[in-house]
Amino acid sequence: GNPKFVIRTVSIIFILSLAIMTLVAFQFGNMVSPDSVRMAAIVFQIGVIAMLAPGLSSGLITDEISSGTFIALRMTPLSPFTVVMGKLQATFFYAMIFLFSSSFVLFAIAFLEQQSVFPEGSILAGKWWGVVLQKARNMSWWIEVWTTYRRIVLWVLLLILSALVFLSSGLFASAFCKSTGAATAIAYMISAFLCVVSFAPIILKSKLPPEISQIILSLNPIASALQVTNGSFGEYPGLCIKNIFMMSGIVVFFTVSAMTRTWWIFRSQD
């Protein structure tokens, strides 16, 4: 990775995170509703991943081939599985840096949650931990914790899966394209389809069967996150769970396809 690119990107994300934190401050001045802040925060974070992740992984295979290092890689005892997973893990690390730099947004969202499960006071105080440990003995307390923070847990899961989808799409494109430019274009087309084009059922609601509309919307991580946030798209229940399964399947498909293609290149390379 390019250190300057990473530093600049993290700085931009940090600044935008502070902007959303400002919205949080305004909300407590009754200027912005909590749901508006939550919607802005989750769309921002998924947008960060959608804009950055495909570019991180779209040159993983094509760059190796164009630079001539793929032949040397082929002569090592590494299997295509090891090569593909190693490259995917490396890019996932960079994506996590970007997500971590915007973690202030998640803290802001957590602060907005109305809760009575934790006592007031500093978490550094022994008394605070004593009260929490006493409450933790009751299963009803754990149920209340899940009820209070389930949205944040689902947001984190959707963000991680979104990162894996966009990274694996870049890897998939890189394995099948002859140039990094073409792979990058295809990866961003996939990203645009999942995040933008899949909103088409909202516009074409009267022209599409409800079942088809729900399948298409289930591909969209933003729609799923918004439904978790404030119950949007109520006519399509269960979008979040369907999206989790859809994205998991997409990650498996892209990764297995990239592995198969890499295995074929390993065999056919002179």
Side-chain angles (χ1 to χ4, degrees):
N2 188 332
K4 291 184 178 179
F5 169 75
V6 173
I7 293 173
R8 290 171 181 170
T9 305
V10 168
S11 300
I12 293 172
I13 295 172
F14 183 79
I15 292 170
L16 293 176
S17 298
L18 290 179
I20 295 179
M21 291 285 285
T22 304
L23 287 178
V24 176
F26 284 160
Q27 186 271 319
F28 283 98
N30 296 322
M31 294 180 64
V32 182
S33 69
D35 276 346
S36 298
V37 177
R38 295 185 183 103
M39 289 173 61
I42 196 62
V43 171
F44 163 70
Q45 289 206 303
I46 294 178
V48 166
I49 293 299
M51 288 188 293
L52 297 177
L56 288 174
S57 58
S58 57
L60 292 178
I61 304 298
T62 51
D63 285 347
E64 293 277 5
I65 295 176
S66 61
S67 63
T69 57
F70 197 86
I71 297 177
L73 188 64
R74 177 174 173 261
M75 297 175 65
T76 67
L78 296 176
S79 66
F81 173 83
T82 304
V83 171
V84 170
M85 293 306 296
K87 290 181 175 296
L88 191 59
Q89 288 174 11
T91 54
F92 184 72
F93 170 75
Y94 278 108
M96 288 300 100
I97 292 177
F98 299 141
L99 278 183
F100 181 77
S101 66
S102 60
S103 60
F104 297 100
V105 174
L106 285 180
F107 286 121
I109 293 172
F111 188 70
L112 286 175
E113 299 294 336
Q114 297 296 323
Q115 61 89 19
S116 59
V117 293
F118 294 108
E120 295 184 359
S122 172
I123 63 172
L124 301 178
K127 183 179 179 181
W128 189 91
W129 285 102
V131 174
V132 170
L133 291 175
Q134 185 176 2
K135 288 184 174 183
R137 297 174 183 174
N138 300 321
M139 182 57 66
S140 59
W141 181 79
W142 289 101
I143 295 174
E144 188 177 356
V145 170
W146 168 250
T147 303
T148 302
Y149 294 106
R150 61 176 291 274
R151 288 192 294 189
I152 295 175
V153 174
L154 291 174
W155 284 330
V156 172
L157 181 58
L158 287 172
L159 285 171
I160 293 175
L161 278 174
S162 297
L164 289 173
V165 166
F166 298 133
L167 289 172
S168 61
S169 69
L171 180 62
F172 168 80
S174 184
F176 284 89
C177 291
K178 294 183 178 181
S179 68
T180 300
T184 302
I186 291 176
Y188 276 108
M189 287 173 62
I190 294 172
S191 175
F193 175 81
L194 294 176
C195 292
V196 180
V197 179
S198 57
F199 273 118
I202 305 302
I203 302 173
L204 304 175
K205 181 185 294 187
S206 60
K207 299 182 179 180
L208 292 175
E211 297 80 9
I212 300 299
S213 296
Q214 183 152 26
I215 291 174
I216 296 174
L217 265 180
S218 296
L219 295 169
N220 194 314
I222 296 177
S224 303
L226 290 178
Q227 187 174 85
V228 172
T229 303
N230 61 358
S232 301
F233 311 107
E235 64 272 32
Y236 305 105
L239 274 184
C240 178
I241 301 301
K242 291 182 177 68
N243 180 249
I244 289 173
F245 281 107
M246 285 282 195
M247 290 200 295
S248 299
I250 291 172
V251 171
V252 172
F253 171 76
F254 281 155
T255 305
V256 171
S257 298
M259 287 180 186
T260 304
R261 175 60 176 169
T262 304
W263 171 81
W264 177 257
I265 297 174
F266 267 39
R267 284 175 54 92
S268 60
Q269 192 83 11
D270 293 329

